[in-house]
């Protein structure tokens, strides 16, 4: 085009517009007649760089001048004379064919709703024409055009509309017209301009009529069943009802023209609308075979993300919601108040510009269509003042436990405060892009650390102490779920089963039923379906919890065994009972009328049917773990609401000969009303089916009361519901329940119950027990279960509760960490409120009982309570552990001193110490430091050495781990591990220990290898008898060789290679530290490289052998005696010794902040001694 000043043209709706000086907008209509090239020359004016501050999501692309000035204040002149626009693919705006708007005073914008159907705006960049720096501005600046005057043209005629503008500058004259006109047309005169290719126009002038043509059709519903009552419409702006399908799903519509343009719309309840065009034909009859798909309820795929911003910055929140049909409307709320759409111009994206302090708070979206609504989880916006620190620079107190020989007289304890940084997001250095997800996540973490020397018995122990916090880039983590899929009755593994997510197979179980899955980035709700290839077990859909901060969470998937099939005749009436508790009446029955079975292609099936109906009976509390999904549904207002179950059943119908799966038309479900213990539930009972993709329950039908005579005198009342068995095969007898509360619980590493020893990543489960008439609890039946993962402040478990009667609802609560069941606090022989964590008299009202309260032979891994809703008039009930449903935030943010229930790990005689503390429950607490025990996040390598002890007593063994060959760490301590040996069950004078040591390898900078210097030191009078010959040979062949003159211990430079059981060395690498240690420990106990065991095998896979003297080691180790002796320990209680223990390798003795730490200043440190 030559000069750049001659290129500012734009094609809009077929009209060429010119971007000129002043606010002459380029839009549909007329444009300013002056070309920028005629007004300005390139010697005095120049174009700015290109700007792109918005993207075309939501309503469109808005490159507005005020936003550009906010981000690039000095790069745009005060009065741009013209603007130019192009896409990010360098296509000029005039060449896109899109309808856009431009005004040099306001900027450039493109609105998605104005584009052709199915097309959105491109992503545009703009530039502005400004005077050169040495050229004074000679032209004034126009204000905005007024609105066009009303069109006065009568029907079918033309008139003129006008608009005006005023010059905003008094010192310089404006160039161009102050008034502008355009032609306008009056309204359309009555008449019809529809032209028909065949037939004639109908009376409504919206379709063509062919009197000699008929459309015949059949409509099938989801599952290929006939679709009676489906509505057939003529598709138009206002669809016109033509007919309804008959009982067979057939319809007949005369007069429709087969011109290839006429469109029919088919609608049916709970199905997605279907549009079909009548094909071009010369025949007198057109036959259509149509199949509807089940309507997909609105489903939240992505919640808005919490963000931190400074005052004046911009934040964007996005909702991703799917469904069929798609959402028709989005609404955004701030702290529960609806935001004005006209002001914020939002759709599925909310953009907040020039943020103010008062805009901080919670934001969530609500989407809706004709089938319902759904709400997102709230996202928190933190708005920080311009001069305020993004993170509190002062560390919070954080105690770590020291080794047994490091008692601190100053604090009169074995604990030392190393500090931690507060949990939270921060602003960081963000770019100017407006994104749903920030390109970089920032967290409050360590900005400065100092090394301190702790005085111990005979040596100085180094530790790193946090001295200052700051805003740092968050540690990248991987999220894992792992576990086993086993039979609920016998524990038989589901071998080589398939695991599906969103209908796609993503993994399979192993020979022992094990599985491990990396959770895809952005997953909000992990819904997995386990399918057994051997057809032994019912297909099971589970909603699995995961830790969004990273690491692995263990789940045990309990599977119901399929009920053996019975043969029924399709032409007979058949009744199948639902109930699995011996000595009890069935909960319900299914009545199958004759001739209701259909093949997948829609044909009626006649013949023998193999019917298998597997019922999960809630009257047996042991079935709770095998329940499907998480018993939630989406209410009419979009809230996620709970269900209380009266039983689930899985249905499988097959052709006896071909084994082809069959669907069934309307069948009856009769529920015995005497089994419904709460009379109000009789009115709200419904039939539900499980959506295997979302894991949510969707309503299938209502129940009606029906009386039935049984015998001469007995009359019973049933709830009767009708349902079709189509593509979904799992159903539920449920009632919505609205009396809800939250129960606060925490998990700890030991019975000391210290805040710094809380354990994250524990799966806590609450099972609601079903009350019987009179609201006293029936201990055998359950109604609902919920699971929550503990975070840095414990967990809040949803539960049903009642304010009027304390014992109306009861619940069992249990906790599991990586397959290990945690212990609840004892309730016998006497309640100890200080240990349980709940004060009196509220504790008595809750009737706390551990499972072994009356029988000591029962496991101690759960407790039961009455879920008594707190009384608002009773002060001691106001702060937990039970919270009303509307007080979730108070529950989640409750201080440690507030009442809560407690679980603790069954901690063996073991102790871990890291010079740079790290919380293995929270990978984000990892710190960049040369002395970090784990040098690389998301790749955790656990190393163990197996030591055999010849002694009639159990012996404490220590590993001391120091830098060996790296110049930055040589002679410096990584950490200490203490553990007590475990008796071999078959050898009375042999015990063994699996002792963790720091693996050799690259340090955090990934620049150079360090061979860790490991000392294995048995306590007491011990002598080294033997070193595994293969291990010794390896160490000799991989120099340097550590000096081993002291026969009371063993020293080695740890091997770089993962050796295996033949060497007595066990190495496992995993994305989660707890998982790596658990697997390595299992192999070490077993003495193999691929097996696992919970029983110590003292003679298998041994690296070192020591013989120790006869002096007996007490049940408690020295360090335990010191830490628990009166007057010398912080809060806590001692735990009696245990005969049979299992080492636990997935616990850190020095838990750390749940935030990341940054690289510190690596000053020279004092060498430690000891």
């Amino acid at each position: 085009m030559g000069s750049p000043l001659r290129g500012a043209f734009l094609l809009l709706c077929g009209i060429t517009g010119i971007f000129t000086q002043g606010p002459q907008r380029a839009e549909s209509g007329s444009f300013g007649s002056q070309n920028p090239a005629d007004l300005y020359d390139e010697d005095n004016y120049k174009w700015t760089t290109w700007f792109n501050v918005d993207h075309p999501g939501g309503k469109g692309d808005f490159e507005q001048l005020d936003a550009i000035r906010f981000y690039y204040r000095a790069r745009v002149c005060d009065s741009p004379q013209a603007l130019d626009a192009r896409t990010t693919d360098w296509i000029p705006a005039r060449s896109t064919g899109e309808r856009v708007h431009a005004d040099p005073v306001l900027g450039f914008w493109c609105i998605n709703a104005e584009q052709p159907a199915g097309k959105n705006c491109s992503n545009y960049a703009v530039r502005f024409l400004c005077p050169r720096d040495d050229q004074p501005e000679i032209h004034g600046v126009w204000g905005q055009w007024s609105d066009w005057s009303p069109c006065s043209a009568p029907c079918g005629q033309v008139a003129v509309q006008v608009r005006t503008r005023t010059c905003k500058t008094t010192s310089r004259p404006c160039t161009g017209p102050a008034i502008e006109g355009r032609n306008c047309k009056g309204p359309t005169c009555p008449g019809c301009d529809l032209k028909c290719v065949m037939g004639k126009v109908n009376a409504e002038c919206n379709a063509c009529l062919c009197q000699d043509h008929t459309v015949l059709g059949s409509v099938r519903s989801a599952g290929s069943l006939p679709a009676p009552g489906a509505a057939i419409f003529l598709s138009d702006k206002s669809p016109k009802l033509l007919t309804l399908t008959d009982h067979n799903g057939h319809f007949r519509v005369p007069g429709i023209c087969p011109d290839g343009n006429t469109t029919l719309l088919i609608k049916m309840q709970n199905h997605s609308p279907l549009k079909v065009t009548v094909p071009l034909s010369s025949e007198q009859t057109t036959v259509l075979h149509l199949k509807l798909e089940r309507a997909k309820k609105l489903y939240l795929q992505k919640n808005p993300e919490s963000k931190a911003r400074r005052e004046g910055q911009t934040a964007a929140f996005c909702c991703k919601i799917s469904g069929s049909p798609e959402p028709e409307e989005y609404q955004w709320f701030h702290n529960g108040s609806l935001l004005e759409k006209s002001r914020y111009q939002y759709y599925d994206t909310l953009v907040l510009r020039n943020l103010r302090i008062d805009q901080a708070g919670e934001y969530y979206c609500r989407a809706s269509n004709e089938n319902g609504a759904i709400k997102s989880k709230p996202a928190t916006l933190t708005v920080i003042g311009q001069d305020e620190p993004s993170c509190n620079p002062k560390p919070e107190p954080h105690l770590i436990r020291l080794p047994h020989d490091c008692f601190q007289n100053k604090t009169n304890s074995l604990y030392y405060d190393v500090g931690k940084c507060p949990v939270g997001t921060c602003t960081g250095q963000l770019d100017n892009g407006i994104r749903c997800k920030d390109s970089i996540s920032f967290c409050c973490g360590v900005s400065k650390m100092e090394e301190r020397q702790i005085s111990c018995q005979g040596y100085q122990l180094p530790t790193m102490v946090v001295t200052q916090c700051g805003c740092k880039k968050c540690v990248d983590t991987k999220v894992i779920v792992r576990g086993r899929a086993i039979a609920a009755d016998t524990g038989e593994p589901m071998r080589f089963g398939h695991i599906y997510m969103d209908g796609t197979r993503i993994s399979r179980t192993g020979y022992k039923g094990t599985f491990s899955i990396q959770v895809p980035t952005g997953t909000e709700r992990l819904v997995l379906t386990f399918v057994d290839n051997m057809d032994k077990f019912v297909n099971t859909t589970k909603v699995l919890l995961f830790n969004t901060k990273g690491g692995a969470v263990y789940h045990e998937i309990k599977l119901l065994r399929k009920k053996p099939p019975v043969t029924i005749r399709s032409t007979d009436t058949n009744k199948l009972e639902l109930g699995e508790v011996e000595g009890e009446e069935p909960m319900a029955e299914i009545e199958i009328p004759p001739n209701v079975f259909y093949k997948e292609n829609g044909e009626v099936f006649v013949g023998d049917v193999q019917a298998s109906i597997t019922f999960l009976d809630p009257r047996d509390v042991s079935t709770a773990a095998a329940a499907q999904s998480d018993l939630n549904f989406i209410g009419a207002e979009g809230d996620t609401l709970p269900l209380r179950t009266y039983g689930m059943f899985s249905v499988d119908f097959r052709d006896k000969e071909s084994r082809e799966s069959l669907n069934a038309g309307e069948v009856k479900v009769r529920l015995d009303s005497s089994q419904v213990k709460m009379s109000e539930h009789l009115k709200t009972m419904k039939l539900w089916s499980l959506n295997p993709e979302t894991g949510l329950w969707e309503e299938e039908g209502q129940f009606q009361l029906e009386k039935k005579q049984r015998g001469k005198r007995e009359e019973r009342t049933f709830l009767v519901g009708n349902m079709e068995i189509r593509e979904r095969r799992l159903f539920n007898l449920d009632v919505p329940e609205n009396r809800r509360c939250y129960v606060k619980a925490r998990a700890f590493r030991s019975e000391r119950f210290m805040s710094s020893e809380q354990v994250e990543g524990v799966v806590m489960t609450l099972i609601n027990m079903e009350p019987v008439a009179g609201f006293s609890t029936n201990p055998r039946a359950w109604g609902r279960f919920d699971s929550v993962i503990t975070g840095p402040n414990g967990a809040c478990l949803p539960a049903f509760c009642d304010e009027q009667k304390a014992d109306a609802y009861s619940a069992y609560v249990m906790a599991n960490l990586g397959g290990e069941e945690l212990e609840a606090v004892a309730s016998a022989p006497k309640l100890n409120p200080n240990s349980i964590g709940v004060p009196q008299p509220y504790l008595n009202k809750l009737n706390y009982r551990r499972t072994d309260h009356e029988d000591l032979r029962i496991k101690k891994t759960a407790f039961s309570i009455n879920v008594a809703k707190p009384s608002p008039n009773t002060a001691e009930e106001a702060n937990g552990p039970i919270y009303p449903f509307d007080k979730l935030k108070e529950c989640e943010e409750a201080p440690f001193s507030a009442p809560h229930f407690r679980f603790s790990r069954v901690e063996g005689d073991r102790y871990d110490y890291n010079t740079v503390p790290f919380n293995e429950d929270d990978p984000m607490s990892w710190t960049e430091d040369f002395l970090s025990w784990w040098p690389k996040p998301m790749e955790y390598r656990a190393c163990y050495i197996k030591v055999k002890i010849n002694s009639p007593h159990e012996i404490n063994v220590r590993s001391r781990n120091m830098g060996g060959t790296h110049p930055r760490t040589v002679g410096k301590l990584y950490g200490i591990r203490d553990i007590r040996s475990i008796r071999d069950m078959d050898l009375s004078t042999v015990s063994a220990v699996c002792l963790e040591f720091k693996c050799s390898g690259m340090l955090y900078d990934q620049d150079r290898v360090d061979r860790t210097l490991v000392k294995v030191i048995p306590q007491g009078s011990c002598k080294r008898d033997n070193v595994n010959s293969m291990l010794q040979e390896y160490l000799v062949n991989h120099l340097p060789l550590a000096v081993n003159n002291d026969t009371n211990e063993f020293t080695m430079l740890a091997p770089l290679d993962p050796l295996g059981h033949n060497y007595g060395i066990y190495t496992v690498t995993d994305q989660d530290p707890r998982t790596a240690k658990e697997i390595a420990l299992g192999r070490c106990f077993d003495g193999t490289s691929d097996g696992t065991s919970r029983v110590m095998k003292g003679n298998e896979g041994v690296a070192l052998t020591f013989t120790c003297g006869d002096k007996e080691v007490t049940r408690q180790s020295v360090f335990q005696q010191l830490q628990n002796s009166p007057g010398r320990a912080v809060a806590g209680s001692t735990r009696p010794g245990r005969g049979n223990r299992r080492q636990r390798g997935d616990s850190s003795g020095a838990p750390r902040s749940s935030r990341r730490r940054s690289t510190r200043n690596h000053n020279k440190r004092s060498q430690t001694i000891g």
Side-chain angles (χ1 to χ4, degrees), residues 610-661:
Q610 285 204 310
S612 172
I613 299 183
T614 306
F615 184 65
L616 185 143
D617 198 326
R619 294 173 296 181
D620 180 359
V621 71
S622 66
T623 63
Q628 305 244 6
S629 184
D630 57 0
L631 287 173
N632 288 326
F633 75 104
I634 303 299
E637 294 301 314
D639 298 291
T640 301
L641 301 173
L643 293 168
R644 170 182 286 275
T645 188
Y646 281 88
M648 302 179 188
F649 56 97
S650 174
V651 178
D652 186 20
F653 296 137
R654 293 184 181 274
D655 180 351
K656 185 176 181 180
E657 293 184 2
S658 67
R659 299 293 297 160
E660 177 188 355
S661 182

Side-chain angles (χ1 to χ4, degrees), residues 527-530 538-544 557 559 626-630 690-696 730:
V527 182
L528 301 180
T529 299
F530 294 79
V538 172
N539 293 353
T540 300
T541 297
K542 288 285 189 178
V543 180
L544 299 187
I557 310 299
L559 308 171
Q628 305 244 6
S629 184
D630 57 0
L690 179 66
N691 185 332
E693 294 184 5
T694 66
L696 294 168
L730 185 67

